Amino acid sequence: MGGGGGKAEKARRSPARVRLWVARASTVLLWTCVVHLAAYHELWAPGVLTRWPGCLTQQHVVRHPSEAAAGGRREAVRAVAALPPKRIYKNNGYLMVSCNGGLNQMRAAICDMVTIARYLNVTLIVPELDKTSFWADPSDFQDIFDVDYFIASLRDEVRILRQLPPRLKRRVEMGFLRSMPPVSWSDISYYHHQILPLIRKYKVLHLNRTDARLANNGLPMEIQKLRCRVNYNGLRFTPEIEKLGRRLVQALRQNGPFVVLHLRYEMDMLAFSGCTHGCSNEEVEELTKMRYAYPWWKEKVIDSDAKRKDGLCPLTPEETALVLQALSIDRSYQIYIAAGEIYGGQRRMAALTSAYPNVVRKETLLPSDLSLFQNHSSQMAALDYMVSLESDIFIPTYDGNMAKVVEGHRRYLGFKKTVQLDRRLIVELVDQYRNGTLSWPDFSSAVKASHTSRMGEPSRRQVIPDKPKEEDYFYANPHECLHQPDDLSVL
């Protein structure tokens, strides 16, 4: 009797369970359809060209995910729709990379490594940033770049993970890891024929010193365009950096036009390059000691005068002041110094601040807001990078990594004016002006005439076969990714 009652009770409950199961299954099925429809809409709808700009567009990317967090199911569906569909491919292994150098050197390396991972069909682990360079910045990738956005925005091209799967991570922690630097300026065939077999063999490969490891030229168009997509759409600074960068730009805009001067007259650059023009004997000795203190700075004995005459030294603040005046940069313009501490301090800056009284830095514009970024040189450089992109004119006094990468980004944003100084000619003209053999009007005219075609206008990169270090850098002029006339002149 008791058993029969149990069966009857079970029979009565079954329809309710079935209805509950059907309801749950229907809900899951509905949301699955919504997600897939959103993904296909993102893949096929024309709006994708706006939300996920290719290299031939210059719109802003989608909103930060945190801005779409609140708002219920409708907002959740829109957040799903904002992501590109995942690319499905057979994973050949895992690639770990360690970047070296300053922020912009590492930025270019990250773009190259994402591109290489994509064309090797491997999973990329979020890159490790340099903590042992001259700046000794302890920042990790997620301290500078929006790591979630980086991973999600590129998921239709390459799978990116924050860390290795547990089993492989344990192997690496036990010391079972093949590590090597790739060959500089290699094309993609090197990675297919030399690097991919190693990844397949070891499952995990670690590439170190990843700067300048992919060629400037001779690569398929889709590779060049992916490098641009990573650089201009995938690498976005953290919300904290972005917010403060916008505030800096706003503070500058309130006071009219501004010029960003990347015044690379800092102690490390002078010691590394051996450029000591205008320095005291004590300063020359200090810079020389510093150069010998870093064993990986291979050039030790340097002729400063010869290097300066060859245009291989950053312009001094005094030379820079003359150039700005010769180019008729308005005295009332704000001059934003995008650099670290200028070697020689106020004594060396006197000529520039006398000619341009509105010289400012991030430390003077928002002094109380920089505490979180102090002692983090790459985060501070990220702020300068943002301001440099927005400036009316960008003028670097040396063609280092920041100068080149910012130049390329400003080209991408519509060929914004970037003055590429001809330092070799400038120092010759400066010396003639100072020794009285050239009048000011002639000096100014010569400087202007020599820079009329050095303002960041459309042009093609200079290609020098078998001399990649001497040819134009891809990230300074990624012309494959830019809207420009068909009849471009070759530099």
Side-chain angles (χ1 to χ4, degrees):
M1 177 71 82
K7 290 180 180 179
E9 180 65 23
K10 186 175 182 181
R12 284 194 299 273
R13 290 179 181 176
S14 294
R17 288 183 176 180
V18 170
R19 286 194 297 272
L20 179 60
W21 183 89
V22 170
R24 289 176 175 173
S26 299
T27 302
V28 172
L29 181 61
L30 176 61
W31 277 102
T32 301
C33 291
V34 168
V35 170
H36 280 283
L37 284 172
Y40 279 108
H41 171 77
E42 187 65 24
L43 180 61
W44 296 111
V48 73
L49 297 178
T50 301
R51 286 192 298 271
W52 290 101
C55 293
L56 297 180
T57 62
Q58 289 143 18
Q59 292 104 336
H60 291 291
V61 293
V62 294
R63 296 173 299 150
H64 189 272
S66 63
E67 298 175 16
R73 290 183 178 179
R74 182 179 178 185
E75 199 64 25
V77 172
R78 290 164 68 181
V80 171
L83 297 177
K86 290 184 179 179
R87 175 170 172 256
I88 307 301
Y89 60 94
K90 180 182 178 181
N91 182 36
N92 286 320
Y94 296 83
L95 180 63
M96 300 175 65
V97 299
S98 294
C99 302
N100 57 296
L103 174 66
N104 294 284
Q105 186 172 327
M106 293 190 292
R107 183 186 185 107
I110 292 166
C111 298
D112 286 351
M113 292 299 115
V114 171
T115 303
I116 289 164
R118 191 272 181 238
Y119 285 95
L120 298 185
N121 286 336
V122 300
T123 296
L124 178 70
I125 306 304
V126 169
E128 178 185 39
L129 303 188
D130 193 341
K131 297 179 176 63
T132 61
S133 65
F134 168 82
W135 302 276
D137 188 337
S139 299
D140 290 317
F141 187 100
Q142 63 268 21
D143 298 321
I144 301 172
F145 300 107
D146 187 334
V147 65
D148 292 328
Y149 180 80
F150 173 71
I151 293 171
S153 68
L154 296 166
R155 70 180 196 165
D156 62 331
E157 293 285 1
V158 63
R159 183 183 181 215
I160 304 174
L161 300 178
R162 285 176 176 263
Q163 57 185 4
L164 287 167
R167 181 179 61 85
L168 293 175
K169 185 178 180 182
R170 286 193 295 271
R171 284 187 58 193
V172 168
E173 290 172 347
M174 292 172 63
F176 297 104
L177 179 65
R178 175 68 186 271
S179 183
M180 60 177 287
V183 176
S184 299
W185 309 113
S186 298
D187 62 22
I188 201 68
S189 65
Y190 162 78
Y191 289 93
H192 275 294
H193 298 145
Q194 302 295 325
I195 300 300
L196 184 55
L198 293 175
I199 297 176
R200 285 175 169 158
K201 178 179 179 180
Y202 296 103
K203 305 302 180 186
V204 181
L205 182 67
H206 174 239
L207 297 182
N208 53 43
R209 299 194 62 82
T210 52
D211 62 315
R213 302 297 157 163
L214 194 55
N216 292 311
N217 303 293
L219 298 175
M221 183 67 74
E222 60 268 21
I223 287 180
Q224 301 292 54
K225 288 190 174 183
L226 180 56
R227 296 167 89 178
C228 290
R229 177 179 166 184
V230 180
N231 195 18
Y232 306 129
N233 304 142
L235 282 178
R236 187 165 66 179
F237 295 125
T238 64
E240 294 78 13
I241 292 175
E242 293 260 344
K243 180 180 179 180
L244 189 54
R246 287 192 295 268
R247 288 187 59 200
L248 283 169
V249 172
Q250 183 180 13
L252 287 160
R253 284 275 174 238
Q254 289 175 348
N255 295 313
F258 68 97
V259 176
V260 166
L261 186 64
H262 184 41
L263 190 60
R264 196 66 171 93
Y265 201 77
E266 298 148 312
M267 186 175 184
D268 65 299
M269 173 52 64
L270 299 180
F272 173 77
S273 64
C275 296
T276 57
H277 183 73
C279 294
S280 65
N281 291 334
E282 291 77 11
E283 289 172 333
V284 171
E285 183 178 352
E286 181 181 41
L287 294 172
T288 303
K289 285 182 179 179
M290 183 178 184
R291 184 163 65 253
Y292 277 89
Y294 288 87
W296 54 89
W297 290 357
K298 296 180 180 180
E299 191 177 13
K300 301 301 183 184
V301 180
I302 299 174
D303 186 334
S304 176
D305 290 337
K307 206 164 190 180
R308 175 176 175 267
K309 289 179 180 178
D310 284 338
L312 300 176
C313 289
L315 295 183
T316 67
E318 298 88 349
E319 292 167 341
T320 303
L322 290 175
V323 170
L324 296 184
Q325 291 172 294
L327 291 172
S328 297
I329 301 295
D330 196 300
R331 176 178 166 83
S332 67
Y333 281 12
Q334 300 165 96
I335 307 296
Y336 178 93
I337 304 297
E341 183 177 351
I342 302 304
Y343 191 63
Q346 291 301 318
R347 177 180 66 84
R348 297 305 303 268
M349 288 291 289
L352 184 60
T353 54
S354 175
Y356 291 91
N358 296 322
V359 172
V360 296
R361 306 174 63 101
K362 53 187 174 294
E363 292 85 354
T364 59
L365 289 170
L366 299 174
S368 61
D369 297 286
L370 294 174
S371 58
L372 294 176
F373 303 94
Q374 295 292 345
N375 302 318
H376 294 83
S377 60
S378 290
Q379 296 181 49
M380 296 286 270
L383 294 171
D384 283 342
Y385 187 95
M386 289 188 66
V387 177
S388 298
L389 292 185
E390 296 295 329
S391 63
D392 296 281
I393 307 173
F394 176 65
I395 306 178
T397 61
Y398 189 72
D399 56 354
N401 288 291
M402 178 169 175
K404 293 174 180 177
V405 177
V406 169
E407 176 191 343
H409 205 152
R410 285 174 65 87
R411 287 175 180 270
Y412 178 81
L413 294 173
F415 300 100
K416 301 175 75 171
K417 183 175 287 188
T418 301
V419 184
Q420 303 148 2
L421 297 177
D422 184 343
R423 294 188 304 279
R424 184 172 184 174
L425 176 63
I426 284 172
V427 297
E428 180 182 345
L429 294 174
V430 166
D431 289 347
Q432 291 177 15
Y433 170 67
R434 283 177 170 166
N435 64 26
T437 59
L438 191 66
S439 67
W440 175 257
D442 289 340
F443 172 77
S444 179
S445 295
V447 171
K448 287 176 180 175
S450 61
H451 289 84
T452 53
S453 60
R454 299 175 66 92
M455 298 288 181
E457 63 281 342
S459 63
R460 292 198 181 277
R461 288 192 308 278
Q462 183 185 39
V463 180
I464 305 177
D466 301 322
K467 294 183 178 181
K469 291 184 180 180
E470 298 178 21
E471 65 185 6
D472 292 339
Y473 188 42
F474 172 81
Y475 290 102
N477 183 14
H479 66 73
E480 297 92 336
C481 307
L482 310 177
H483 281 298
Q484 50 193 346
D486 293 332
D487 58 343
L488 292 177
S489 59
V490 177
L491 289 178

